[in-house]
Amino acid sequence: MRMSQKEKDRSHARIVASAARLFRERGLEGASVGEVMCDAGLTHGGFYKHFESKGALVETAIEEAFQGFVQMLADGDAQKSYAAYRALYLSEDHLKHPEIGCPIATLGQEVSRRPESLRAVFGAGVQRLVGAIARSMGGTVHARRKAAIRELSMMVGAMVIARASDDETASEVLSACRRSARHA
Amino acid sequence: MRMSQKEKDRSHARIVASAARLFRERGLEGASVGEVMCDAGLTHGGFYKHFESKGALVETAIEEAFQGFVQMLADGDAQKSYAAYRALYLSEDHLKHPEIGCPIATLGQEVSRRPESLRAVFGAGVQRLVGAIARSMGGTVHARRKAAIRELSMMVGAMVIARASDDETASEVLSACRRSARHA
DNA sequence: TGTACATCAGTGAACGCGCGTTCACTGATGTAC
DNA sequence: TGTACATCAGTGAACGCGCGTTCACTGATGTAC
């Protein structure tokens, strides 16, 4: 039966939220259209009233994931130190909860093999994240941007390595990266 | 028709080599058993004379990929500087050729979602790579190990971000990470 | 405001397709005598 | 060394399954008068 426009908007938001979570948990190919719709409390057939294809959902879900993650990092203090970002990013909590964590560390490699349009969306998300981290740094605009990129790269790499390895290697990598190279 | 034992060994090596390449190029789920066998010059049916399952091939192929990549990094000089490793890792060549590149930067995220036994194999590969990089560093054994882990994490993260983003973001990230944080 | 009707959000069965895996078969290889 | 036979590497058809997508249908919503 037909739903009201307001109801449709709510369904749409639930689909995107479920996708943003399930894609990060299981991968773009690991979460099916049917599973996303079921998680959103709907049946699979209605999906194409909301998106042209699974690929279109992926784009929207990745934008949502970046927005949510940047907001989560910035939450609380208006101006966090980069040490605070690093502690959050490299925490056991983030290690164990990819579904609400950094989209780069969960989806980057699958995105690499997808069309340019998705990589553009992903790149925009990366820029937003770099901007958020750069705001916590000192130095000239140019220098803090470079520092933020290096900082983010190290955090992403550490999390990818930790999640893909045995527990012992994982905690060695996380703890080695928790302290800045400058203080090594 | 039955092949000789020597011929079977050669087939086995070709299957593993094809898998190590195709998995890095297309992902663990993106390369099928049939494609790997075809690339190795065989038909799909014979696969189970060589491996119990696709999962078993994945383990062997990842070991092979780590070994090949560590060797490629170390090739030439017996004792490269970490700056040389970084230049190689963060090159445009590595960006464009994941199929012969670092297995962490291509397969880490899929490995995260696989059984513990595969993560153990992957972790062992990570340790080998960390060891190779640590050998190029100064300081105490403990300090150079930590430095190697941070170094590898940054390189992996930078490559993951670059490959998943638009070209402009990609080259900004690679160039920002090519110089050490110490010289920033 | 009330009525008649077109629209369309959501349902559930069905589709074609590629996947990992199985299996009967072939015939050269390897072995026992 | 020669012979008879069991083994098994590789082939290609077939399997069950889950996927993304399509479609006929339902009935409340939204709209034109």
Side-chain angles (χ1 to χ4, degrees):
Chain A
M1 52 248 163
R2 187 176 182 181
M3 303 301 203
S4 72
Q5 185 59 42
K6 206 172 269 186
E7 203 65 49
K8 186 183 182 186
D9 292 347
R10 272 196 284 265
S11 293
H12 194 88
R14 284 204 317 279
I15 294 168
V16 174
S18 292
R21 203 167 48 73
L22 287 175
F23 285 150
R24 278 180 284 182
E25 183 182 318
R26 309 180 193 175
L28 300 178
E29 291 186 337
S32 69
V33 167
E35 286 170 328
V36 169
M37 290 300 278
C38 180
D39 190 82
L42 296 163
T43 56
H44 68 278
F47 175 75
Y48 295 88
K49 291 280 159 65
H50 288 277
F51 292 96
E52 201 185 290
S53 66
K54 186 180 178 180
L57 171 63
V58 166
E59 289 197 10
T60 308
I62 283 183
E63 278 177 338
E64 167 105 345
F66 267 107
Q67 192 187 307
F69 183 67
V70 169
Q71 185 146 343
M72 177 188 281
L73 274 188
D75 249 16
D77 305 326
Q79 188 77 351
K80 267 184 178 145
S81 70
Y82 72 88
Y85 281 117
R86 185 184 295 186
L88 268 173
Y89 198 109
L90 297 177
S91 67
E92 289 287 323
D93 222 63
H94 189 199
L95 180 77
K96 304 255 180 197
H97 291 289
E99 76 278 5
I100 54 168
C102 177
I104 309 176
T106 49
L107 300 174
Q109 292 169 5
E110 278 187 280
V111 170
S112 304
R113 302 174 198 119
R114 299 247 171 178
E116 203 182 328
S117 64
L118 180 59
R119 298 207 309 278
V121 165
F122 196 92
V126 167
Q127 296 287 355
R128 238 179 298 153
L129 194 41
V130 167
I133 295 171
R135 259 171 255 127
S136 71
M137 302 228 162
T140 66
V141 172
H142 184 70
R144 63 212 257 177
R145 196 177 161 72
K146 282 205 156 196
I149 287 172
R150 277 193 292 265
E151 184 73 17
L152 179 61
S153 294
M154 189 199 64
M155 295 191 299
V156 167
M159 192 51 73
V160 168
I161 294 170
R163 290 208 183 111
S165 301
D166 53 285
D167 293 350
E168 202 177 333
T169 303
S171 54
E172 187 189 0
V173 169
L174 288 187
S175 87
C177 291
R178 267 184 204 124
R179 308 205 165 279
S180 165
R182 299 176 209 184
H183 310 314
Chain B
M1 52 249 166
R2 185 176 181 179
M3 303 301 203
S4 71
Q5 185 58 41
K6 207 172 267 187
E7 203 64 49
K8 187 184 181 185
D9 292 348
R10 272 197 283 267
S11 293
H12 194 89
R14 285 204 316 280
I15 294 168
V16 173
S18 292
R21 203 167 48 73
L22 288 175
F23 285 150
R24 278 180 285 182
E25 183 183 317
R26 309 180 193 175
L28 300 179
E29 291 186 337
S32 70
V33 167
E35 285 170 329
V36 169
M37 290 299 278
C38 179
D39 190 82
L42 296 164
T43 55
H44 67 280
F47 175 75
Y48 295 87
K49 291 280 159 66
H50 288 276
F51 293 97
E52 201 185 292
S53 66
K54 186 180 178 181
L57 170 65
V58 167
E59 288 197 11
T60 307
I62 283 183
E63 278 178 338
E64 167 106 344
F66 268 107
Q67 192 187 306
F69 183 67
V70 169
Q71 186 146 342
M72 177 188 280
L73 273 188
D75 248 15
D77 306 324
Q79 187 77 352
K80 267 182 178 147
S81 69
Y82 73 88
Y85 281 118
R86 186 183 294 186
L88 268 173
Y89 199 109
L90 297 178
S91 67
E92 289 287 322
D93 222 62
H94 190 199
L95 180 78
K96 304 255 181 197
H97 292 289
E99 76 278 5
I100 53 168
C102 178
I104 309 176
T106 49
L107 300 174
Q109 292 168 5
E110 278 186 278
V111 170
S112 304
R113 302 173 197 119
R114 298 247 172 179
E116 203 182 328
S117 64
L118 181 60
R119 298 207 309 279
V121 165
F122 196 90
V126 167
Q127 296 288 355
R128 239 179 298 153
L129 194 40
V130 167
I133 295 171
R135 259 171 256 127
S136 70
M137 302 229 162
T140 67
V141 173
H142 184 69
R144 63 213 257 176
R145 195 176 164 74
K146 281 204 157 194
I149 287 173
R150 278 193 292 265
E151 184 73 16
L152 179 62
S153 294
M154 189 198 64
M155 296 191 298
V156 168
M159 192 51 72
V160 168
I161 294 169
R163 290 208 182 113
S165 302
D166 52 285
D167 293 350
E168 203 177 331
T169 303
S171 54
E172 187 189 0
V173 169
L174 288 187
S175 87
C177 290
R178 266 182 204 124
R179 307 204 166 281
S180 165
R182 298 177 209 184
H183 310 314

